[in-house]
Amino acid sequence: MPVRKQIMVPAAVDKKIRRLARKRGISQSALIVEAVEALPESSGQIDHLLTFVGVIKGTPSTLSEAVDDIYR
């Protein structure tokens, strides 16, 4: 059962919501629901990324700190 929500958004965001909903041929509510559902669960996404920590072999252990120096 849908629940009614009343929200306040900046004027620029309102224009963007209206434009995107019109372009996609859906209601503003449907657009907002789709956008919220597309957001990753923050803890779940981090857990997935942590799985890959350290899997790139042959890179310096300080790669994230020195990426600009390495890829110039």
Side-chain angles (χ1 to χ4, degrees), residues 52-61 63 71:
F52 297 101
V53 171
V55 298
I56 303 174
K57 294 182 179 178
T59 59
S61 59
L63 177 61
Y71 293 106

Side-chain angles (χ1 to χ4, degrees), residues 4-10 13-14 17 28-29 32-33 36:
R4 182 175 175 83
K5 297 284 183 190
Q6 184 174 350
I7 61 171
M8 301 287 290
V9 297
V13 173
D14 179 57
I17 291 169
Q28 293 176 42
S29 294
I32 293 168
V33 168
V36 170

Side-chain angles (χ1 to χ4, degrees), residues 26-47:
I26 60 176
S27 69
Q28 293 176 42
S29 294
L31 180 79
I32 293 168
V33 168
E34 285 182 10
V36 170
E37 287 178 345
L39 292 171
E41 294 291 333
S42 59
S43 63
Q45 179 145 359
I46 291 171
D47 292 342

Side-chain angles (χ1 to χ4, degrees), residues 15-26 31:
K15 288 173 90 171
K16 188 172 185 177
I17 291 169
R18 290 174 186 275
R19 180 178 48 80
L20 290 171
R22 187 173 45 252
K23 181 178 178 181
R24 295 187 58 190
I26 60 176
L31 180 79

